[in-house]
Structures are given as structure tokens and as C-alpha cells.
């Protein structure tokens, strides 16, 4: 070797060695300076990530999740073996061998990058935990040094299983899902413990690129990644070749992003969130509290379905308001999809009320396309609602034509029909009258459309559904179901009202003459109820209704109270009818049964309220006789359709329709369940010119719910309590039996002339001037 070449090699080696020594010294200094400043990782031995507030039904169905991150904390011992093997195989095959940083893996990645010009990562699972918990995602040398040093420290303080547990619960997996337990629910709609090997491999492939590899957003890439994971599992010996083949054949059933079978209980979940926030503050979004409610999943599903069906049936009887929007559709098929997507982005599907864009329309057929590309044809009965919009003379804003954004729904026979998003609102609530536990609550047609909870926040006039509380008060004053009262005209002039004359009428405008209280309630006779209230005194009745939980101030002590002129919420009505159902005890609706922390430790356990005589609201015999009257309403009166639909005698209820059909109600119960259905507009207006009533509009919602809720529930006739007797087929208080109670009222006058009717009613029973507009205008 030539001397010059020898010197060059010597100096080159010297420089390289010096550089290496300098690099090692620098690294040592960096470690000496940085290592003491690293965060204390010992806290991870009690790993507590941010966990959302989760709300469940009594039978364990998730109905709400509140927090920045979807996450469940699952101990490593409860993680499926297939998932742990899949993650280790694809993310860090030498995880159980290295000390935090895999030198072999790092060298292999460097060589691969130099050879192929790629950017192959070499972060171990421990390094990923260090980065996800403590560091940012920036790509700098300083961050990589911190990451490596943190990985060494983690390995000092934690076992391999602890590190893997943190990784499996912490990693982001797309769609706001953090950790594999949340991802299993998001992508497969099942608990992590129930996933198959094929599903575990699919999930294990997501961390590499959560947005690009998740099966909902990119099924093709997710499938390719799944196959790679299964191959890696076979290579490292985690599974056999036969297991890999079987897993590759398995057809995976992904959760539909629109979640058509999801249990809709958004109003309940939001109510719980508000209650929890009031109690614990903003920490509820990260503490991982689990709230169990008294809701029953099947009951809630039935209530939601019944209310939506009732509202949509009402909308089918209304005039067509026209398409929601009009867009110009290009003739080029290649551009059509983009135009449809853009048009429907602002008009998403609303559960089973779907949006579509019209491609062609005439009087006999409408062709339309949905956001998913499905084309559908609407003909025959499916065009009935929109018939006016298919006329050549239709106004431009109503005309159904190419480019119109419309709503469609499937009929029971599987055909398509044109529908429209409702403007009317509704509410339904059901509770167990024995303890007040809420079993179902639907606060409106759609939570996304309106978050106003009509069950708890809507103060509406109850109309005739309030009459039973006036009758209940009358029973304590000597009235009986057999008392005869005259259903005859009444008239009040300006001198009595202090304002406009008031001439109340029955709903059908006719008068039936003398009749029993039972028959009057069955047929919801207004004149009879007014005469009864005048007899017992409005002030007494106002005090009496307080026993049921009503607010006295919202029910002024004047005669229009007899017709439900006050204000109630559906929840108040449920509690009030619960008093009749349970034999006379006060009902306090409650929802939260248990609150637990992430480890399952019980923080709050609700006890059903005790039902003893201290909770009595009305005498037991009063509740029994009133239930008998309400049973007659269902078997012989305005609520007969409930009996027709359910074919059982243990049903009790009352229809309610306010003047001009502004609010409609059906309030009723079976001894184990009270249900209240209400329909009306948020800005009160008439519910159609066809005279919608509680019997035609709200009662079908009640029966739709009860058909599901009472399946398998035996008929439960109410036993007669002490203090009542049955004479000639009618129930009486034993001290008000025939000859001792009030036998008749207002009969001697016959069809009362206006002047006589006015003279029969004291001025004090009418509202003062400040009340007249609110009450008399409503009942004119």
C-alpha cells in the first residue's frame, strides 16, 4: 500500500473514531441533561386516560356518550388474546424482547430506507406509548431523543403487560375512537370481548393510518391491511396457516354509519348529562363515569317508533308544502353524482325519513336518487301526498320537478312514498306508577331538529285530559259516578266575565241533557264538568289538584279550569295519572338508578322511594273510583280505540283536545305503566281543519307504545279497597251510597236559558280582567 494512501486511511479512521467518540459524548451529555427532566412515568402504573361520560338503559344499552374522546378502559386481562397477538405481530414483533427501543428493528428500518428510499418507521409499542401520552407528533431529532429516553424509563417502571394495556386503551383508531374497545363498538357494533380473529386483525391494521385504513372510510385499504396483519401473525407463530386461511375467508359485518338500528334516546341522554354536570361539573367529560338509567330499551324503542309514526301519519293528512330545495342538475352523468352529493349534504336523512333528488317527474311516476346512489321509482299511492305538486298548475315552490330535493320513506309493503319533514311536534313519556321510574321518554320528533324537550319543558293546556282531576275533587264533596248532571247550554255575559261574553260548548256542538257523571266523562261533556266545578268551588278544586303535583299558580281558580285552561307538562301529567294508577300515592318521576366510576365502584345507588301513608296524595277509594271511571272512557267512550287495539280490560285513560284542536292528548295507564302522548305545534296553532282530536291523533301513539310494553304482562284488575260499595252495577263511597250523596245537579232548570245560567254562577267563579284574554280567547 502506498504511503499516501496509508496516511489517508489512518486520518480518515482517526476522524471517524473521533466523530464517534464526540457523538457518544454528546449523546451522553444529552442523556445526562435530559433524563432527569423527563416526566414522572410512575403515575402510569395507575393509568387513567380521559374517559367520556357514558349513559345506559337499565338493560345495558348505550344511549349516550359525552366527551372529546370515545374510549373505554379495558384491563389487559380482559383483552382478547387474538387482538394482543395481532397488535404485537404488526406493530412490534420483538416487544417482549427489547428494553424499549429495538436496536435490530431500527437498523433494519435504516437499511430499508437507504435501499428503497422509503420512510419506514421503527417505533416500538413502548415508544408509541411515550409519544401518545407525553409528546407531540412533530418529527424532530429532539422529539425522537425524548421518545427513546421515555421508552427506557417506561420499561424501568412498568411491566410489559402494563405498557401494552396503555397502548391498547390509548391509541387513536379513527372516528373519535380511542382504544380498541371503542373501535370495536364503532366499526363492528359489538363489545371487544366478542370480536373474532378476522375482526381483531382488521382493528390491528388501523393504527398505522387511522383515517386511511379504517374500514368505514376505506374498506379496500382496510381489507388489504387486514390480510397483511394475518400474514404477520402467521409468520411470528401467533396463528397457524389454517387459522389464517379461515380468518381471510370470514365476511365481516361492519356497523352502518347511519346506525339504523340504534336506540334513540337522545333526550334522555341529554337530560342525564345536565343532571351530571349540575352535580359534578365539567369533570364528567373525562372521569369515565357510567350512568345507568331506569329506561328499558324495548320500551324506549317502542315509544320512539310510536311517536314518529303518529306524527308522520298526521303529516300525510296535511297539505303538501313542496320540496325542500331546488338545484340545477347537469346532463352529464359523470357530473350528476357530485351535484346530488352537494344538494343532499345540507339535507341529510332523518332516520327513516330519507332525502332524495328528483331526476324525472310526471303525474304518474317520480324517479329520484338518494345520496348513496340508489335510484328509486315512486308510483301510485306513493304519490298521494305530493299530488298537488305534480300538477302542471302547481306553484313554483310546490312543484315536484327535476332537481327538487324531496323526502321519501318506505311503506309497510316495501314500496316508496313521498313524505315531508313534519312541522308539528310531539312528546311521549312512560313511567312505572308503583315507584316513579321512567321507562321511556321521547321529547320530540327528532333531537337533531329540536333539542327542546317537550316532555319536561313544554307547558301546554291539557284540555279534557284534565277533567279527571276535577271529578276526583268532586268525589270528596259527595258526587258519585251515578250523580245526574244536566248537559245543557251555559252562557256568561260581559258583566260576569269582565270582558267578552263566554258561551262554552261541547266538542260536537250538541247537548245531551241529564246524564250520569260516568257517562259525561266517557263522552267528555264540557257543560257537565263546568257545572260540577261551579258546585264544588274553583278554589277547592285548585287546592285539590295540588295533591297530584300540579302547580296551583298555573291553574287559576276560575270555571275554565274545568276544561283544562291551565298549563302542564307531559311529565306532570304522567306523575298525576300515576296517582290514580297506584292507589293514591304521590309519584316522583326519577331516571338515574346508578352511577359508577371506571373501575365499577358504585358512587350513587338510587333507592325507589318508599310508598307508605306519608306519601299518600288522595284516598285509596278515590283513586279506585276514578280508575273505574277512566276504565269506562276506554271501554265505552272517547278512548275506545285503545280497547279495540289492545283487547284487554285493565286499561284506563282520557282523551284531551283543546279548543280549535291546538293541543291533543291521551293520558292513560295500566297498573304497571302510565303513558302520556301529546301532539301540538311549538307556536300554538290549529292541528288541521279536519278537527284532529286526542282520540284520532294522540291515542294511536299511546296504543302503539302499550302494544309493545304490555306484551306478556298479565291482565291486572284493580281490587276494590275498603270504603266503597257496588250498588246496581255502580261504585260508590259507602258513606255516599244512593240516598246519601249528591244525586243530581242542574236538572231542574232543563236546557238553561242564558240569563238563568248566568244567575246560577257567581261572578267570583269567573276570571278577573287580567286573566280574560288568556283564558276566554282560548275557549271562545
Amino acid at each position: 500500500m502506498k504511503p499516501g494512501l496509508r496516511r489517508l486511511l489512518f486520518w480518515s479512521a482517526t476522524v471517524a473514531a473521533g466523530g464517534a467518540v464526540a457523538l457518544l459524548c454528546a449523546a451522553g451529555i444529552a442523556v445526562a441533561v435530559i433524563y432527569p427532566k423527563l416526566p414522572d412515568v410512575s403515575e402510569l402504573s395507575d393509568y387513567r386516560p380521559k374517559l367520556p361520560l357514558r349513559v345506559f338503559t337499565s338493560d345495558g344499552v348505550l344511549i349516550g356518550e359525552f366527551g372529546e374522546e370515545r374510549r373505554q378502559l379495558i384491563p389487559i386481562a380482559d383483552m382478547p388474546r387474538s387482538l394482543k397477538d395481532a397488535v404485537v405481530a404488526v406493530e412490534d414483533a420483538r416487544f417482549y424482547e427489547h428494553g424499549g427501543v429495538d436496536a435490530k428493528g431500527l437498523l433494519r428500518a435504516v437499511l430499508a430506507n437507504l435501499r428503497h428510499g422509503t420512510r419506514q418507521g421503527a417505533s416500538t409499542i413502548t415508544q408509541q406509548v411515550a409519544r401518545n401520552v407525553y409528546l407531540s407528533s412533530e418529527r424532530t431529532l429532539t422529539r425522537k431523543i425524548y421518545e427513546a429516553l421515555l421508552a427506557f424509563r417506561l420499561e424501568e417502571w412498568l411491566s410489559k403487560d402494563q405498557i401494552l394495556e396503555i397502548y391498547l386503551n390509548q391509541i387513536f383508531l379513527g372516528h373519535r375512537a380511542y382504544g380498541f374497545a371503542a373501535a370495536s363498538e364503532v366499526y363492528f357494533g359489538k363489545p371487544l370481548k366478542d370480536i373474532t380473529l378476522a375482526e381483531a386483525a382488521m382493528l390491528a391494521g388501523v393504527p398505522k393510518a387511522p383515517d386511511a385504513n379504517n374500514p368505514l372510510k376505506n374498506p379496500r385499504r382496510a381489507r388489504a391491511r387486514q390480510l397483511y396483519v394475518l400474514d404477520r401473525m402467521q409468520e411470528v407463530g401467533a396463528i397457524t396457516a389454517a387459522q389464517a386461511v379461515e380468518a381471510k375467508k370470514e365476511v365481516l359485518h361492519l356497523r352502518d354509519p347511519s346506525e339504523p338500528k340504534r336506540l334513540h334516546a337522545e333526550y334522555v341522554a341529554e337530560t342525564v348529562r345536565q343532571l351530571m354536570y349540575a352535580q359534578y361539573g365539567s369533570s364528567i367529560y373525562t372521569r369515565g363515569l357510567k350512568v345507568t338509567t331506569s329506561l328499558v330499551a324495548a320500551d324506549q324503542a317502542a315509544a320512539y317508533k310510536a311517536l314518529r309514526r303518529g306524527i308522520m301519519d298526521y303529516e300525510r293528512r296535511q297539505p303538501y308544502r313542496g320540496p325542500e330545495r331546488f338545484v340545477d342538475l347537469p346532463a352529464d352523468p359523470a357530473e350528476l353524482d357530485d351535484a346530488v352529493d352537494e344538494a343532499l349534504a345540507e339535507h341529510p336523512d332523518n332516520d327513516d325519513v330519507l332525502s332524495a333528488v328528483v331526476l324525472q317527474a310526471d303525474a304518474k311516476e317520480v324517479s329520484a336518487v338518494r345520496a348513496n346512489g340508489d335510484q328509486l321509482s315512486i308510483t301510485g299511492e306513493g304519490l298521494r301526498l305530493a299530488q298537488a305538486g305534480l300538477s302542471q298548475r302547481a306553484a313554483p315552490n310546490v312543484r315536484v320537478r327535476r332537481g327538487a330535493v324531496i323526502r321519501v320513506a318506505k311503506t309497510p309493503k316495501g314500496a316508496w312514498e313521498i313524505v315531508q319533514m313534519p312541522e308539528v311536534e310531539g312528546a311521549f313519556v312512560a313511567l312505572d306508577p308503583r315507584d316513579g321510574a321512567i321507562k321511556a321518554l321521547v321529547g320530540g320528533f327528532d333531537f337533531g331538529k329540536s333539542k327542546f324537550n317537550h316532555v319536561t319543558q313544554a307547558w301546554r293546556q291539557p284540555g279534557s285530559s284534565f277533567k279527571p282531576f276535577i271529578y276526583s275533587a268532586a268525589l270528596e264533596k259527595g258526587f258519585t259516578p251515578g250523580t245526574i248532571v244536566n248537559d245543557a247550554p251555559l252562557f256568561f255575559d260581559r258583566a260576569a266575565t269582565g270582558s267578552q261574553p263566554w258561551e262554552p260548548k261541547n266538542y260536537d256542538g250538541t247537548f245531551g241533557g241529564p246524564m250520569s257523571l260516568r257517562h259525561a266523562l266517557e263522552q267528555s261533556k264540557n257543560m257537565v264538568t263546568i257545572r260540577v266545578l261551579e258546585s264544588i268551588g274553583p278554589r277547592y278544586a285548585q287546592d285539590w289538584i295540588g295533591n297530584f303535583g300540579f302547580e296551583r299558580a298555573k291553574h287559576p281558580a276560575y270555571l275554565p279550569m274545568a276544561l283544562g285552561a291551565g298549563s302542564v307538562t307531559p311529565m306532570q301529567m304522567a306523575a298525576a295519572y300515576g296517582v290514580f294508577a297506584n292507589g293514591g300515592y304521590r309519584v316522583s318521576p326519577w331516571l338515574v338508578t346508578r352511577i359508577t366510576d371506571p373501575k365499577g365502584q358504585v358512587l350513587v345507588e338510587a333507592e325507589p322511594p318508599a310508598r307508605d301513608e306519608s306519601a299518600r296524595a288522595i284516598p285509596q277509594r278515590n283513586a279506585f273510583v276514578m280508575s273505574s271511571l277512566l276504565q269506562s272512557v276506554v271501554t265505552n267512550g272517547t278512548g275506545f280505540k285503545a280497547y279495540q287495539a289492545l283487547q284487554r280490560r285493565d286499561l284506563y285513560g282520557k282523551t284531551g283536545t283543546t279548543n280549535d284542536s291546538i293541543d291533543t292528548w291521551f293520558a292513560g295507564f295500566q297498573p304497571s305503566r302510565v303513558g302520556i302522548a301529546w301532539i301540538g305545534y311549538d307556536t300554538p296553532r290549529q292541528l288541521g281543519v279536519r278537527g284532529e282530536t286526542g282520540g284520532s291523533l294522540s291515542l294511536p301513539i299511546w296504543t302503539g307504545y302499550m302494544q309493545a310494553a304490555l306484551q306478556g304482562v298479565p291482565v291486572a284488575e284493580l281490587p276494590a279497597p275498603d270504603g266503597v260499595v257496588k250498588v246496581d252495577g255502580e261504585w260508590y263511597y259507602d258513606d255516599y251510597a244512593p240516598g246519601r250523596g249528591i244525586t243530581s245537579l242542574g236538572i231542574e232548570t232543563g236546557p238553561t236559558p242564558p240569563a238563568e245560567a248566568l244567575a246560577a254562577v257567581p261572578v267570583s267563579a269567573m276570571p278577573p280582567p287580567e286573566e280574560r284574554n288568556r283564558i276566554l280567547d282560548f275557549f271562545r
Side-chain angles (χ1 to χ4, degrees):
M1 183 180 294
K2 295 181 180 181
L5 180 59
R6 188 180 298 112
R7 281 197 301 274
L8 178 61
L9 292 175
F10 172 77
W11 285 110
S12 297
T14 301
V15 170
V21 171
L23 185 62
L24 288 173
C25 290
I29 293 172
V31 170
V33 172
I34 294 174
Y35 202 76
K37 298 180 180 180
L38 293 176
D40 181 10
V41 300
S42 63
E43 63 185 19
L44 287 183
S45 60
D46 184 22
Y47 172 59
R48 295 184 181 183
K50 291 181 180 179
L51 298 172
L53 171 69
R54 309 185 85 217
V55 185
F56 296 84
T57 64
S58 61
D59 40 354
V61 178
L62 179 67
I63 58 173
E65 201 168 25
F66 300 94
E68 296 177 7
E69 305 170 355
R70 289 175 174 163
R71 193 199 305 274
Q72 300 176 50
L73 182 59
I74 305 295
I76 189 69
D78 295 336
M79 294 280 185
R81 177 63 182 270
S82 59
L83 177 68
K84 292 184 284 189
D85 289 345
V87 169
V88 170
V90 74
E91 291 292 328
D92 187 1
R94 287 172 34 80
F95 172 67
Y96 287 99
E97 300 170 24
H98 62 68
V101 176
D102 186 3
K104 290 183 180 179
L106 182 61
L107 179 61
R108 184 170 59 252
V110 170
L111 292 176
N113 291 342
L114 292 174
R115 185 180 306 115
H116 303 295
T118 60
R119 297 184 65 180
Q120 187 179 116
S123 292
T124 64
I125 286 176
T126 312
Q127 286 175 276
Q128 292 184 60
V129 169
R131 180 169 67 247
N132 290 331
V133 174
Y134 294 109
L135 303 173
S136 68
S137 57
E138 62 178 344
R139 294 175 177 271
T140 64
L141 179 61
T142 301
R143 199 271 292 163
K144 291 298 290 183
I145 293 174
Y146 268 97
E147 181 183 296
L149 294 177
L150 275 170
F152 287 131
R153 176 163 281 189
L154 285 172
E155 295 275 350
E156 282 182 40
W157 281 93
L158 306 177
S159 69
K160 288 289 187 179
D161 277 354
Q162 285 177 306
I163 294 170
L164 185 58
E165 177 180 287
I166 295 170
Y167 178 85
L168 295 174
N169 282 288
Q170 181 77 19
I171 195 73
F172 175 62
L173 295 161
H175 286 274
R176 285 181 48 234
Y178 288 78
F180 285 90
S184 178
E185 295 281 0
V186 168
Y187 296 125
F188 300 116
K190 61 166 65 174
L192 187 63
K193 63 182 179 64
D194 295 336
I195 62 172
T196 64
L197 172 59
E199 291 167 338
M202 178 73 79
L203 293 176
V206 175
K208 181 79 173 176
D211 288 328
N213 289 347
N214 83 69
L216 294 182
K217 189 171 183 179
N218 198 325
R220 183 184 58 80
R221 291 189 61 172
R223 170 64 173 168
R225 185 71 177 160
Q226 177 208 29
L227 297 177
Y228 171 72
V229 172
L230 290 169
D231 288 340
R232 284 290 299 150
M233 293 181 74
Q234 183 181 343
E235 286 177 24
V236 301
I239 59 174
T240 65
Q243 288 175 310
V245 170
E246 285 301 311
K248 290 177 181 179
K249 289 180 182 178
E250 183 178 324
V251 178
L252 301 188
H253 300 283
L254 298 175
R255 186 175 191 171
D256 188 333
S258 64
E259 299 182 279
K261 296 182 179 180
R262 176 169 62 97
L263 181 64
H264 288 276
E266 294 88 348
Y267 289 98
V268 176
E270 173 59 17
T271 298
V272 171
R273 185 198 68 79
Q274 293 175 14
L275 292 172
M276 293 294 290
Y277 185 86
Q279 182 69 28
Y280 297 103
S282 59
S283 67
I284 62 170
Y285 304 120
T286 57
R287 286 179 60 182
L289 299 179
K290 175 181 174 181
V291 180
T292 302
T293 68
S294 56
L295 230 62
V296 176
D299 280 34
Q300 180 66 21
Y304 175 81
K305 182 179 179 181
L307 181 66
R308 284 185 60 103
R309 182 172 61 239
I311 289 177
M312 291 307 296
D313 285 346
Y314 167 79
E315 282 294 340
R316 291 181 178 94
R317 301 193 289 270
Q318 305 313 301
Y320 186 55
R321 295 185 292 273
E324 296 179 9
R325 181 186 175 188
F326 297 94
V327 295
D328 293 326
L329 295 181
D332 185 353
E335 300 175 4
L336 181 63
D337 288 346
D338 290 339
V340 169
D341 288 345
E342 184 178 344
L344 297 183
E346 298 177 5
H347 300 266
D349 294 343
N350 186 284
D351 198 7
D352 54 351
V353 181
L354 311 176
S355 57
V357 177
V358 174
L359 300 177
Q360 179 275 331
D362 57 41
K364 293 185 177 181
E365 181 181 11
V366 171
S367 297
V369 60
R370 291 184 53 210
N372 63 4
D374 288 351
Q375 292 198 18
L376 47 94
S377 174
I378 310 162
T379 59
E381 286 295 304
L383 301 175
R384 172 177 290 187
L385 176 66
Q387 204 63 56
L390 294 170
S391 168
Q392 294 295 328
R393 296 189 298 273
N397 64 315
V398 177
R399 180 79 180 276
V400 178
R401 60 183 185 270
R402 180 176 171 83
V405 176
I406 62 173
R407 293 284 172 172
V408 298
K410 274 283 184 71
T411 68
K413 295 182 179 179
W416 289 101
E417 64 173 331
I418 294 178
V419 295
Q420 57 189 349
M421 284 291 289
E423 293 180 346
V424 75
E425 271 295 355
F428 186 87
V429 60
L431 55 79
D432 188 331
R434 295 166 293 189
D435 61 9
I438 296 170
K439 300 301 181 181
L441 187 156
V442 187
F445 180 79
D446 177 68
F447 185 76
K449 175 173 169 258
S450 172
K451 293 176 174 55
F452 184 80
N453 189 337
H454 296 83
V455 168
T456 58
Q457 295 177 289
W459 290 93
R460 307 294 293 217
Q461 290 179 312
S464 297
S465 63
F466 197 75
K467 289 176 181 175
F469 306 107
I470 304 300
Y471 278 49
S472 173
L475 292 180
E476 299 304 303
K477 289 290 190 177
F479 282 82
T480 72
T483 299
I484 303 299
V485 182
N486 200 15
D487 178 35
L490 288 169
F491 178 81
F492 307 94
D493 68 6
R494 288 182 175 86
T497 67
S499 178
Q500 304 165 14
W502 182 42
E503 187 175 7
K505 297 184 182 298
N506 288 319
Y507 177 79
D508 59 5
T510 66
F511 302 95
M515 62 180 63
S516 69
L517 281 190
R518 182 177 293 277
H519 184 69
L521 189 63
E522 288 173 357
Q523 302 306 317
S524 198
K525 295 297 186 178
N526 293 340
M527 303 304 104
V528 171
T529 312
I530 293 172
R531 282 190 164 89
V532 169
L533 179 58
E534 187 275 329
S535 177
I536 65 175
R539 188 70 63 188
Y540 172 76
Q542 185 189 45
D543 291 337
W544 183 259
I545 66 171
N547 296 327
F548 296 88
F550 294 117
E551 299 178 29
R552 295 176 75 257
K554 291 188 179 293
H555 300 270
Y558 307 113
L559 292 183
M561 179 172 62
L563 309 184
S567 297
V568 300
T569 67
M571 184 67 84
Q572 279 189 334
M573 291 292 276
Y577 271 78
V579 174
F580 293 140
N582 67 26
Y585 296 95
R586 280 189 297 275
V587 176
S588 298
W590 56 293
L591 183 61
V592 174
T593 62
R594 186 185 302 110
I595 303 172
T596 57
D597 67 12
K599 295 183 177 179
Q601 193 167 25
V602 177
L603 305 179
V604 175
E605 185 92 47
E607 291 290 335
R611 200 174 78 177
D612 53 32
E613 287 307 303
S614 66
R616 180 161 294 285
I618 62 174
Q620 185 178 8
R621 65 180 186 173
N622 187 296
F624 175 79
V625 173
M626 283 308 307
S627 294
S628 168
L629 290 169
L630 292 170
Q631 186 179 44
S632 291
V633 174
V634 174
T635 55
N636 301 307
T638 57
F640 182 65
K641 289 181 180 177
Y643 178 71
Q644 278 186 314
L646 299 174
Q647 289 295 304
R648 50 191 299 160
R649 292 191 56 82
D650 59 341
L651 303 176
Y652 312 80
K654 182 69 184 74
T655 52
T657 309
T658 61
N659 202 47
D660 290 331
S661 297
I662 289 176
D663 294 273
T664 70
W665 298 77
F666 189 80
F669 60 90
Q670 187 270 352
S672 67
R673 193 73 86 245
V674 173
I676 306 295
W678 165 84
I679 297 292
Y681 287 98
D682 280 337
T683 302
R685 71 175 196 254
Q686 189 173 4
L687 285 163
V689 296
R690 300 181 184 179
E692 297 285 356
T693 67
S696 66
L697 188 50
S698 295
L699 186 148
I701 297 170
W702 189 88
T703 57
Y705 165 79
M706 287 293 182
Q707 280 176 329
L710 298 181
Q711 276 191 1
V713 176
V715 173
E717 292 285 353
L718 296 174
D722 293 337
V724 297
V725 294
K726 197 169 192 178
V727 179
D728 296 331
E730 185 58 271
W731 288 105
Y732 298 89
Y733 286 6
D734 52 9
D735 48 341
Y736 292 150
R740 280 174 283 179
I742 296 175
T743 59
S744 64
L745 176 70
I747 298 176
E748 68 283 354
T749 61
T752 311
E756 295 178 51
L758 178 61
V761 180
V763 174
S764 62
M766 296 306 298
E770 61 269 20
E771 295 281 349
R772 64 179 180 263
N773 290 334
R774 188 182 74 84
I775 297 177
L776 295 184
D777 284 355
F778 185 80
F779 282 98
R780 281 203 307 278

